[in-house]
Amino acid sequence: SSPCEGGKGLFATKNIRKGETVFVERPVVSSQFLWNALYNYRACDHCLRALETAEENAQRLLGKSSLVLPHPEQCSIRKDLHQQCPRCQVTYCSAECRQAALEQYHQVLCLGPSRDDPTHPLNKLQEAWRNMHYPPETSSIMLMARMVATVKQAKDKEWWIKAFSQFCSKTANEEEEVVHKLLGDKFKGQLELLRLLFTEALYDEHLSRWFTPEGFRSLFALVGTNGQGIGTSSLSQWVHACDALDLPMLQREELDAFIDQLYKDIEKESGEFLNCEGSGLYVLQSCCNHSCIPNAETSFPENNFLLHLTALEDIEAGEEICISYLDCCQRERSRHSRNKILRENYLFTCSCPKCLAQADDADVTSDEEEEGEGETDDAELEDEMTDV
């Protein structure tokens, strides 16, 4: 049940115990979502580490600047290390991230004094994207811009072009479906507008194929199909740290009650949008096939773009490592409902053991499921993708 026909898959080379980290992976390229950044979810422009302290994060999500968090020493944000690009003032969590961005793509993408100039080609491109792709976001045109900028800056351009070409590609019809899913019914005209703006901002003769209508659609579909959601949050980091504190029982109960109430209040104020969010391309993770009974899951416990794949079960040497592209609620639905979501979002039908065992079940969803059928939108898919 691969989204990548032609048989990619990831297999264990040794026995892996439940709870073990299978691997930690850095993306070849990543980018924060544009609306997320516009709404002041402040993140490192390179690794997406949250830049607000846990207290500032909670105050903003609550709309309440007087909130004080207990145990402030459990917040991991180091503001003394933050740095800005001296030319365009985008913020990084550290000198290392500023340097890494500069070496990989930022020389090409730095807006310098034009950061707030609406007529700058890169700003026109971002504005057009925001007007086509509203929250809940699942992708960003800037992921594609960083791919182009990376190749433009690279000494060994072929190495990078090859690196990007290992992400699975689709047929022309499937590419159209992905674009339709991301941009909606007027996708053909919108895709062409994006291509023209993309070309004006970034054209490069080494990559001329990426700027043709077919090549641009392929690039777009590659990012739409392989982009892995990334979520970071200084508040959730603080909560995890508080959970690990060794406290007397009464204090523990008080702290747990405080945190539970805090999340309820935040949900009333900000809904489900708690994290700094973006997406990235991960070579190993993109090889993992889907199963409705996964033996591994992805998360971002370091509060940045480093993806951790963790075993949910014992995995034997030679066994395939599978993740789920569905969230917990979606996985409990009928085979018909699960496959409807997978076909719409990932263009394949699942044949994992659970789906095969339910193959004779009626192809209709239960009544309650029919009711909820319309609710399986990108937001639900995103929830699973960006758990931190």
Side-chain angles (χ1 to χ4, degrees), residues 208-274:
S208 53
R209 193 186 114 53
W210 283 8
F211 294 90
T212 65
E214 298 73 33
F216 185 68
R217 186 188 62 204
S218 293
L219 186 63
F220 202 89
L222 177 149
V223 166
T225 315
N226 296 281
Q228 156 73 37
I230 301 167
T232 65
S233 160
S234 45
L235 181 61
S236 99
Q237 276 259 292
W238 173 83
V239 170
H240 286 307
C242 285
D243 286 345
L245 286 174
D246 190 10
L247 297 173
M249 201 171 95
L250 200 61
Q251 271 181 276
R252 163 57 54 203
E253 284 172 1
E254 272 179 12
L255 183 57
D256 288 351
F258 173 84
I259 290 170
D260 287 345
Q261 191 56 48
L262 179 64
Y263 272 114
K264 280 184 188 136
D265 294 344
I266 286 174
E267 193 174 356
K268 281 198 197 93
E269 186 66 33
S270 297
E272 72 211 59
F273 297 107
L274 303 185

Side-chain angles (χ1 to χ4, degrees), residues 166-304:
Q166 53 191 321
F167 291 97
C168 76
S169 48
K170 300 286 181 196
T171 65
N173 281 348
E174 289 175 329
E175 286 177 358
E176 295 232 315
E177 285 184 54
V178 176
V179 177
H180 184 187
K181 179 80 191 154
L182 279 172
L183 296 181
D185 286 339
K186 301 199 199 74
F187 71 92
K188 285 191 171 143
Q190 291 191 319
L191 190 66
E192 185 55 17
L193 172 62
L194 286 173
R195 185 180 74 85
L196 295 172
L197 290 169
F198 196 75
T199 304
E200 183 193 350
L202 294 159
Y203 185 78
D204 187 84
E205 63 273 14
H206 286 100
L207 290 169
S208 53
R209 193 186 114 53
W210 283 8
F211 294 90
T212 65
E214 298 73 33
F216 185 68
R217 186 188 62 204
S218 293
L219 186 63
F220 202 89
L222 177 149
V223 166
T225 315
N226 296 281
Q228 156 73 37
I230 301 167
T232 65
S233 160
S234 45
L235 181 61
S236 99
Q237 276 259 292
W238 173 83
V239 170
H240 286 307
C242 285
D243 286 345
L245 286 174
D246 190 10
L247 297 173
M249 201 171 95
L250 200 61
Q251 271 181 276
R252 163 57 54 203
E253 284 172 1
E254 272 179 12
L255 183 57
D256 288 351
F258 173 84
I259 290 170
D260 287 345
Q261 191 56 48
L262 179 64
Y263 272 114
K264 280 184 188 136
D265 294 344
I266 286 174
E267 193 174 356
K268 281 198 197 93
E269 186 66 33
S270 297
E272 72 211 59
F273 297 107
L274 303 185
N275 300 334
C276 297
E277 291 192 343
S279 64
L281 296 176
Y282 294 84
V283 176
L284 281 176
Q285 176 273 339
S286 75
C287 296
C288 289
N289 286 321
H290 164 84
S291 169
C292 297
I293 35 174
N295 56 11
E297 70 177 354
T298 58
S299 63
F300 299 90
E302 297 186 51
N303 196 31
N304 64 5

Side-chain angles (χ1 to χ4, degrees), residues 25 114 135 159 229:
E25 185 176 19
S114 308
W159 186 90

Side-chain angles (χ1 to χ4, degrees), residues 145-175:
R146 284 188 178 179
M147 289 167 76
V148 171
T150 296
V151 176
K152 273 183 179 253
Q153 279 189 214
K155 289 192 179 59
D156 186 350
K157 297 184 192 305
E158 285 312 308
W159 186 90
W160 278 101
I161 292 170
K162 199 167 167 240
F164 290 131
S165 70
Q166 53 191 321
F167 291 97
C168 76
S169 48
K170 300 286 181 196
T171 65
N173 281 348
E174 289 175 329
E175 286 177 358

